[in-house]
Amino acid sequence: MIGAGGVTPSPPTPVGRAAGAPRAGPWALPVLVVLLPLLLWPLATILWRGLAPEGVPDAAAIADVLGDGYYWDRLVFTTAQAAASTAVALLVGLPSAYVFAHIRFPGRAVARALVTVPFVLPTLVVALAFQQLAGPDGLLNSALAWFGLGRVEVVGTIWAILAAHVFYNVSIVIRLVAGVWANLDPRTEEAARLLGAGRWATLREVTLPALAPAIASAAALVFVFSFTSFGVVLVLGGPGLDTLEVVIYRLAIRLVELPAAAVLSTVQIATTVAVLGAYSLLQRRTARPLTQRSERSRALRDTSWAERGLALGVAVVLALLIVAPLAALVHGAFTIGASGGVTAANFTRAFEDPGRLSFVEPLNAMRWSVTFAGGAALIAVVLGTLAATAIARSRGRLAALADGLLMAPLAVPAVVLGFGFLITFNSGVTDLRGSPWLIVIAHALIAYPFVLRAALAVLRTLDPRLPEAARVLGASPLAAWRYVELPLAWRALLVGAGFAFVVSLGEFGATAVLQRREFATLPVAIYTSLGRPGLANLGQALAMATILMTVTAAALLLIERVRYRDIGEF
Amino acid sequence: MATLTVRELTHGYEAARRVVDGVSFEVADGRVAALLGPSGSGKTTILRLIAGLERPEGGDVQLDGASVLGRAPHRRGVGLMFQELALFPHLDVRANVAFGLRMARWPRDRRERRVDELLALVGIEALGGRRVDALSGGERQRVGLARALAPEPAVLLLDEPLGALDEARKRELRRELRGLLERLETTALLVSHDLRDAQALADDLVALDAGRVLQAGSLHTVLAEPASPEVASMVGWVRLVEGDARDGRVEESGVGSVAVPEPLEGPVLVMAHPSAMTAVPTGDARDSGARGTVVGAQPEGPLRVLEVAIGALSAVRYVEVRWDARDEPPAPGSPVALAVDPATLRCYRR
């Protein structure tokens, strides 16, 4: 055919906002109706109590708190330890990320799974593990004594806190950075080498700039998690080593100095919101290099001797960092109170009723933990699915706003959330003082961003024509969702639900504030046992922590099996 | 089956950027119409408007004379085969085809029978249990078609039904699709950028550009008597000469003077269809008076086809015509004459 007058193949038409296409509003609305009162009301109460303790805005009261040397020192310490934790986590995490992204080594799959475990382990479990490793009677000191060396005092110093924070956060750094690093097009580095750049120049000029957004996002998350650290600092900290979160907890449970607690909460939230705001901006930029992946970049490179050495070094450091404390925990649980042998007595005791009113009954605590986790996961899945659908269906600025607003729970530290609940839902029709419901709701709010992230990752990659095709074939909007979008996203929802369950199981900050003895959770039971003298109580705490660790680690490994490749940008 | 009427359909928020701008046409019951136009001419948007996936700013869509604008996509009874097919990746071939029947709550046995019938109709009986991502391009196309046809839509919309196939597959599927549409007597509207699809499949043709209908009519009418030079070039015609008509001839400098069938005066554009033209040596008896320059020659079977440039530099156009002589064709750069029957020319006033 000749001269067909400029008729050219048409590219796929971009799908814009369409009449038959789904809208975001109906999905976002229920979430906002739940989220606003449950999150913003307590926050507003905190703000009001902090800024206007007597009912009228009072600048002097705020200045009093911030001018108080004690609180000021806690703020400085909190910030400094968070910055130090971030720096060390990056120092350990970046070489590890390189190894995971590029080097083939035996046991790589096992190592990958292992590295993801710390992130979900309950804070109390980790704190106890480090105590067993580096405490006065810990494995480290036993080993030093065996070699005839002197003792080290680590617990009660900043080093124990740093080590635990790095333990947690190395997995975040590896996850976020290794994903991007593995997908970088190796040809850009090759091009730099051919243009005369040396190894280091290539790293500095080409590789690091490409990784910068991922590194910055990881740093922001690590900083926030360390800044709001609670369980680790409560157990491993010593005199003068309190984070704001711990100070707020002490003020809140004694229900004294509420204005001071409120001012400190406000400072904390302002910090997390600022840092996470920056993080969310960077997240959007991180998305870019991933679209340019090439088939070649997926292949692991052949390794040089230097790289094998690096891999070995990373393996040793990670093993020491991750395996040693957990091994110390298990070791303690089986040996303490056994006078030189191995015993299961601590575990037997973990299922016994202590028979004293002031004690938390462990079996009861396990039941409540599972109940709360189930309820929280259920609510989190509903909220997370709705919110993810709303975000996936909105465009441009609206999407950014929705994303920020719906992810807001991530920016609220757990103790602050519990504290907010405590001073908000205490009168009139919302008098929920002493109700287990407050814990379920708090856990659901803390866990729901995990469901949201997992679901969003899948919904964003879903072809918008699939629900449209269903509509044209006679499916109502709801049926299109039920028969097309849900079946394609259910694995992600399951992964999110699993995460939510595990997060709730280990949650300690909000629970510590809101718990009562009748419905204490396992972490609370561990903390209570720890607070009592005697090897029997310590042994029981270690046994319960071992059980909790096993359950969460097993749950996580199950989740990893269900997860598709590359879900979970977080 | 139903008659589809589109009336003054408009889409796009600002008047300056209308994707669809006052489009009207009708596809009579049982007929197959093709929307032909370059990319960005609004073809796909028109299908989406008819299916209810977009809401028009103005105008109406009617089935058998009744407006369906108020009906949601799932209540319109319109079938759509997407350009990218949008097969459901979590369902196998059978379940994809059965989807619309499930939505319409067909009883299981009837549903199963209907699916069998459709798989046989499009020739993929053996593939029922396959995953859709394990299919070849042609098989996917068939599944998409069967899925759209299954719920017996009143109107079938096909967006580039032969989209991303290679030439040989396209020809095969085009032939099959024509047989199918004839047998089913479905009212169908297909969108294509490829004139050959429209020629092979459609009874009627709607030529579209920049969101407006340039011409609508039976396939033969539009191809043989394009209403404007734009439509003419869209359906394969080329500008032969452009100039003032005087004494039954039109002359353009650099081209020559051509006799026209109508007694015209004033500025005129004369268009010819390459199939009605041949290249001949200059001075040949059949020389129409129009000259071009040989750009290249390529063998086609026992014959040769010449690519000829017509007109001066500022208005040059190219045409491929059969070399109608036994001798070697002239070398590139040489002049060549064009032979054309004046009765096949189309003249447009400028």
Side-chain angles (χ1 to χ4, degrees), chain A residues 257-329:
Chain A
E257 300 273 4
L258 288 191
V263 170
L264 295 179
S265 300
T266 309
V267 169
Q268 241 193 327
I269 292 173
T271 310
T272 54
V273 165
V275 176
L276 286 176
Y279 160 72
S280 118
L281 281 179
L282 289 166
Q283 272 283 293
R284 237 159 286 144
R285 287 176 53 192
T286 326
R288 252 178 257 151
L290 288 175
T291 58
Q292 299 169 344
R293 72 180 69 171
S294 70
E295 273 309 305
R296 286 193 59 205
S297 66
R298 300 218 143 210
L300 293 173
R301 291 177 199 163
D302 289 333
T303 47
S304 65
W305 281 107
E307 284 179 324
R308 276 183 223 181
L310 181 65
L312 190 67
V314 163
V316 169
V317 169
L318 289 183
L320 280 179
L321 185 68
I322 294 170
V323 179
L326 299 181
L329 174 70

Side-chain angles (χ1 to χ4, degrees), chain A residues 122 124-125 128 349-351 360-373 439 443 504-508 511-512 515-517 519-530 540-552:
Chain A
L124 272 188
V125 170
L128 266 183
R349 213 172 295 126
F351 291 96
V360 172
E361 191 196 329
L363 210 55
N364 199 30
M366 287 177 205
R367 267 197 298 273
W368 277 108
S369 275
V370 172
T371 310
F372 288 143
I439 294 185
H443 285 192
S504 166
L505 268 191
E507 208 290 323
F508 183 55
T511 320
Q515 58 99 10
R516 293 282 167 97
R517 204 184 51 79
F519 50 84
T521 62
L522 207 47
V524 172
I526 294 171
Y527 186 64
T528 321
S529 292
L530 207 57
Q540 191 194 24
L542 292 177
M544 287 191 284
T546 305
I547 294 171
L548 196 53
M549 175 192 84
T550 313
V551 171
T552 42

Side-chain angles (χ1 to χ4, degrees), chain A residues 7 18-19 468 471 475 483, chain B residues 48 53 55 74 78 90 102 193:
Chain A
V7 179
E468 284 181 359
R471 295 299 309 283
Y483 293 108
Chain B
R48 293 174 61 85
L53 295 173
R55 206 189 298 280
H74 62 293
V78 169
H90 59 299
R102 260 169 72 211
H193 68 268

Side-chain angles (χ1 to χ4, degrees), chain B residues 144-223:
Chain B
L145 182 64
R147 187 180 71 174
L149 281 172
E152 299 174 334
V155 172
L156 178 64
L157 307 175
L158 305 161
D159 194 354
E160 300 281 356
L162 305 168
L165 299 177
D166 59 61
E167 251 339 289
R169 284 262 170 280
K170 252 188 199 177
R171 262 200 297 276
E172 177 192 329
L173 208 71
R174 208 180 269 144
R175 199 176 327 109
E176 277 181 37
L177 191 57
R178 179 175 53 197
L180 223 130
L181 291 172
E182 273 169 14
R183 248 182 306 150
L184 294 172
E185 299 181 342
T186 317
T187 310
L189 176 62
L190 68 95
V191 146
S192 181
H193 68 268
D194 189 339
L195 180 60
R196 284 168 298 180
D197 294 344
Q199 283 175 309
L201 298 170
D203 306 314
D204 300 314
L205 193 63
V206 180
L208 208 66
D209 192 32
R212 291 167 185 272
V213 173
L214 299 180
Q215 187 179 3
S218 79
L219 179 70
H220 182 261
T221 307
V222 179
L223 293 189

Side-chain angles (χ1 to χ4, degrees), chain A residues 477-494:
Chain A
L478 205 63
W481 183 83
R482 162 75 185 78
Y483 293 108
V484 176
E485 287 171 287
L486 185 63
L488 290 169
W490 74 268
R491 289 167 77 94
L493 291 181
L494 204 63

Side-chain angles (χ1 to χ4, degrees), chain A residues 390-407:
Chain A
I391 295 172
R393 288 182 179 182
S394 41
R395 303 263 177 277
R397 264 191 207 172
L398 191 68
L401 185 72
D403 200 354
L405 195 61
L406 295 172
M407 283 299 278

Side-chain angles (χ1 to χ4, degrees), chain A residues 2-5 7-13 15 17-20 465-466 468-477 483-484 487-488, chain B residues 39 44 48 52-55 72-74 78 80 82-84 86-90 99-100 102-103 147 160 193 233 236 274 320:
Chain A
I2 302 131
V7 179
T8 49
S10 56
T13 319
V15 182
R17 239 190 200 294
R465 288 179 198 87
L466 292 176
E468 284 181 359
R471 295 299 309 283
V472 176
L473 288 165
S476 65
Y483 293 108
V484 176
L488 290 169
Chain B
S39 68
T44 298
R48 293 174 61 85
L53 295 173
E54 312 265 352
R55 206 189 298 280
H74 62 293
V78 169
L80 169 60
F82 286 77
Q83 181 176 2
E84 303 81 4
L87 301 181
F88 301 129
H90 59 299
F99 190 91
R102 260 169 72 211
M103 292 301 120
R147 187 180 71 174
E160 300 281 356
H193 68 268
S233 68
E320 283 172 26

Side-chain angles (χ1 to χ4, degrees), chain A residues 113-375:
Chain A
L114 192 70
V115 163
T116 57
V117 168
F119 184 59
V120 294
L121 285 184
T123 51
L124 272 188
V125 170
V126 174
L128 266 183
F130 273 92
Q131 200 188 46
Q132 284 308 300
L133 180 69
D137 306 311
L139 278 189
L140 186 62
N141 277 325
S142 312
L144 288 176
W146 193 78
F147 283 112
L149 298 167
R151 302 168 56 82
V152 290
E153 289 298 333
V154 178
V155 168
T157 71
I158 178 73
W159 303 110
I161 296 175
L162 274 188
H165 284 173
V166 172
F167 170 93
Y168 262 112
N169 293 314
V170 145
S171 63
I172 296 179
V173 177
I174 294 177
R175 255 227 159 128
L176 284 177
V177 179
V180 178
W181 213 335
N183 286 312
L184 282 190
D185 189 340
R187 283 168 298 190
T188 56
E189 289 174 14
E190 288 161 5
R193 296 303 297 277
L194 291 173
L195 289 168
R199 242 174 230 288
W200 287 108
T202 304
L203 184 69
R204 196 179 61 234
E205 302 290 333
V206 177
T207 313
L208 283 182
L211 294 178
I215 295 174
S217 331
L221 278 181
V222 174
F223 184 86
V224 165
F225 289 143
S226 305
F227 189 79
T228 60
S229 178
F230 174 61
V232 163
V233 181
L234 194 63
V235 175
L236 296 179
L241 302 180
D242 291 335
T243 50
L244 289 183
E245 194 78 336
V246 172
V247 175
I248 295 166
Y249 167 70
R250 295 208 170 111
L251 294 173
I253 50 160
R254 278 183 273 139
L255 283 176
V256 293
E257 300 273 4
L258 288 191
V263 170
L264 295 179
S265 300
T266 309
V267 169
Q268 241 193 327
I269 292 173
T271 310
T272 54
V273 165
V275 176
L276 286 176
Y279 160 72
S280 118
L281 281 179
L282 289 166
Q283 272 283 293
R284 237 159 286 144
R285 287 176 53 192
T286 326
R288 252 178 257 151
L290 288 175
T291 58
Q292 299 169 344
R293 72 180 69 171
S294 70
E295 273 309 305
R296 286 193 59 205
S297 66
R298 300 218 143 210
L300 293 173
R301 291 177 199 163
D302 289 333
T303 47
S304 65
W305 281 107
E307 284 179 324
R308 276 183 223 181
L310 181 65
L312 190 67
V314 163
V316 169
V317 169
L318 289 183
L320 280 179
L321 185 68
I322 294 170
V323 179
L326 299 181
L329 174 70
V330 177
H331 175 262
F334 280 104
T335 54
I336 280 188
S339 60
V342 173
T343 174
N346 294 323
F347 287 89
T348 327
R349 213 172 295 126
F351 291 96
E352 275 170 6
D353 185 345
R356 272 194 260 164
L357 266 179
S358 62
F359 279 43
V360 172
E361 191 196 329
L363 210 55
N364 199 30
M366 287 177 205
R367 267 197 298 273
W368 277 108
S369 275
V370 172
T371 310
F372 288 143

